Amino acid sequence: METKKKKIGFILNPYAGIGGKAGLKGSDNYKKIEKLLLEGCERTAPKRAESCMSKIADLTASLVAGDKGLVGEKNFSILSAPGDMGEALLKKLKIPCDVVLCPKADTSSAEDTKLCAQIMKEQGVDLLVFCGGDGTARDICEAVGTDVTVLGIPAGVKMYSACYACNPYQAGEMLAGWLEGKEMTYEMREVLDIEEKDLDSRNVSPQLYGFLEVLSDGKHLQKAKELDLGSGESATIIARAAILRMEKDWVYIIGPGGTTWKIKELLCENDEQEDTGKKKVHGTVRGVDVIRNGKIILRDANERELWNCVNSYSHIKILVTCIGGNGFLLGRGNQQISPRVIRKVGKEQIEIVATKEKLAGLGGQPMHVDTGDADADEYLKGYYKIIFKNSDSAIYKVG
């Protein structure tokens, strides 16, 4: 009996995540994207998609060589979005594909994504693989709803949605496993996002935009962000303890998040009590700020500014918190703290600030890192001490 071929749809948002290192917190505004490209910012999404689809390239190459392996005769076909939205990458990897017949625009817009997804749905794809961030997930959700099973390759900035694998490599492992007939399930997963115009607001949490039916192996999908910014009493206690540990003339790179924002807020309150006559600089909720001697010396810093900073000072620490619910420590919303910045500072100078409630919400699972650099991710693995208050602390695993 002949086995039905599996049909895969593939859509890549080539600009997803481009705003991360630039500190933009999102990549949905095309005018900002154009400016970043002119400034020489690198498109990171194609590389992340390649990390996933290389697994399919390996399967394809083995079949061409006559090694049927676990998939037997080629049991799949790929229907790709045109040009930079998928076709170009598959050609680079020498993966045969059919291409969706839709207008090839010079830009990759939300409308392009939705149109390609709708055509793929109509053409009966069994699995729609897409690469992007929360905005892309919203577009896919609007186009296909829960009518098509999907798998997300993470490449955005914030990444609050639960329809993505923990990293691109694991997305490739899941995709290859599905093609090889390994046991998989399907889960309804949340699509969350924050409008870019609201990203600087303290009181805005991610909104639920819908659900997608997502391919799952039970262990490699990220969870959704919890809708809590860490503004309670425990976060305040932790922030005060962190400030008391700060040393004179040391530089502190403080990442985004509710718990870390408490540190910035309290430092600003302390600064306002000093009669300096100068305008006070407030920290950002979802940006990376740099503190020295209790004052903000870099607000909403981008990666280049952080790199210049770590090369200008000798004593530096990085203070970060994990995202509540999914446990991501680095690589989600704080891409400014890049692999080269991390290596320059050293992992021993990374301090994690998190409430007991946030840790409990992880259910004992390790925190995750997805910096886009496999060597850096491996380097960051290990056990870190998290101080809650004075001698009250915990040791927690990353990786």
Side-chain angles (χ1 to χ4, degrees), residues 245-373:
R245 292 194 301 275
M246 289 183 173
E247 300 178 66
K248 187 176 185 300
D249 294 334
W250 275 67
V251 169
Y252 295 86
I253 297 171
I254 305 182
T259 313
T260 46
W261 181 80
K262 260 304 179 193
I263 298 172
K264 303 171 189 179
E265 180 186 42
L266 292 174
L267 283 170
C268 189
E269 287 178 2
N270 294 341
D271 191 28
E272 286 177 346
Q273 291 175 9
E274 298 178 12
D275 187 18
T276 61
K278 295 180 181 179
K279 185 178 179 180
K280 304 302 183 291
V281 180
H282 292 257
T284 57
V285 178
R286 296 182 178 88
V288 176
D289 304 310
V290 181
I291 308 290
R292 186 169 184 262
N293 293 331
K295 300 183 186 298
I296 294 174
I297 60 172
L298 271 178
R299 183 183 186 275
D300 210 3
N302 60 39
E303 194 273 348
R304 291 177 186 173
E305 290 171 328
L306 292 182
W307 179 242
N308 290 335
C309 178
V310 298
N311 282 285
S312 300
Y313 294 94
S314 301
H315 303 296
I316 306 167
K317 284 185 181 290
I318 296 173
L319 271 63
V320 285
T321 189
C322 68
I323 297 176
N326 69 29
F328 272 91
L329 186 69
L330 289 160
R332 297 286 191 272
N334 54 16
Q335 289 93 335
Q336 307 95 308
I337 307 174
S338 65
R340 66 174 181 170
V341 169
I342 292 165
R343 287 193 181 96
K344 182 71 176 178
V345 175
K347 66 182 283 186
E348 65 279 359
Q349 299 299 345
I350 294 176
E351 185 174 327
I352 301 172
V353 289
T355 63
K356 291 181 179 179
E357 293 84 356
K358 183 177 281 190
L359 294 186
L362 301 183
Q365 295 298 308
M367 294 183 191
H368 304 291
V369 291
D370 180 20
T371 65
D373 181 324

Side-chain angles (χ1 to χ4, degrees), residues 114-364:
K114 286 183 274 192
L115 177 58
C116 287
Q118 287 164 354
I119 293 172
M120 290 175 183
K121 172 185 170 181
E122 291 166 4
Q123 295 200 15
V125 296
D126 300 296
L127 179 66
L128 174 52
V129 178
F130 66 93
C131 180
D134 291 324
T136 309
R138 283 175 60 181
D139 298 335
I140 297 294
C141 185
E142 183 177 333
V144 305
T146 57
D147 295 335
V148 179
T149 303
V150 304
L151 175 62
I153 306 169
V157 178
K158 306 178 296 296
M159 305 300 300
Y160 295 149
S161 300
C163 52
Y164 289 98
C166 288
N167 61 52
Y169 179 80
Q170 290 179 356
E173 290 279 300
M174 289 175 62
L175 179 55
W178 178 70
L179 289 173
E180 292 167 354
K182 292 181 180 177
E183 186 175 350
M184 297 278 177
T185 59
Y186 306 97
E187 299 180 12
M188 290 296 175
R189 291 296 193 110
E190 304 96 323
V191 174
L192 303 175
D193 198 10
I194 296 179
E195 297 290 347
E196 287 201 9
K197 64 182 177 63
D198 297 326
L199 283 170
D200 291 327
S201 172
R202 172 70 184 89
N203 298 315
V204 176
S205 293
Q207 285 185 273
L208 176 65
Y209 284 89
F211 293 86
L212 287 167
E213 182 181 86
V214 185
L215 183 72
S216 172
D217 63 356
K219 56 184 178 180
H220 287 138
L221 289 180
Q222 73 171 46
K223 294 181 180 179
K225 172 182 167 52
E226 289 181 346
L227 306 184
D228 174 37
L229 273 175
S231 57
E233 183 181 353
S234 58
T236 302
I237 292 170
I238 287 170
R240 284 176 177 153
I243 291 171
L244 288 174
R245 292 194 301 275
M246 289 183 173
E247 300 178 66
K248 187 176 185 300
D249 294 334
W250 275 67
V251 169
Y252 295 86
I253 297 171
I254 305 182
T259 313
T260 46
W261 181 80
K262 260 304 179 193
I263 298 172
K264 303 171 189 179
E265 180 186 42
L266 292 174
L267 283 170
C268 189
E269 287 178 2
N270 294 341
D271 191 28
E272 286 177 346
Q273 291 175 9
E274 298 178 12
D275 187 18
T276 61
K278 295 180 181 179
K279 185 178 179 180
K280 304 302 183 291
V281 180
H282 292 257
T284 57
V285 178
R286 296 182 178 88
V288 176
D289 304 310
V290 181
I291 308 290
R292 186 169 184 262
N293 293 331
K295 300 183 186 298
I296 294 174
I297 60 172
L298 271 178
R299 183 183 186 275
D300 210 3
N302 60 39
E303 194 273 348
R304 291 177 186 173
E305 290 171 328
L306 292 182
W307 179 242
N308 290 335
C309 178
V310 298
N311 282 285
S312 300
Y313 294 94
S314 301
H315 303 296
I316 306 167
K317 284 185 181 290
I318 296 173
L319 271 63
V320 285
T321 189
C322 68
I323 297 176
N326 69 29
F328 272 91
L329 186 69
L330 289 160
R332 297 286 191 272
N334 54 16
Q335 289 93 335
Q336 307 95 308
I337 307 174
S338 65
R340 66 174 181 170
V341 169
I342 292 165
R343 287 193 181 96
K344 182 71 176 178
V345 175
K347 66 182 283 186
E348 65 279 359
Q349 299 299 345
I350 294 176
E351 185 174 327
I352 301 172
V353 289
T355 63
K356 291 181 179 179
E357 293 84 356
K358 183 177 281 190
L359 294 186
L362 301 183

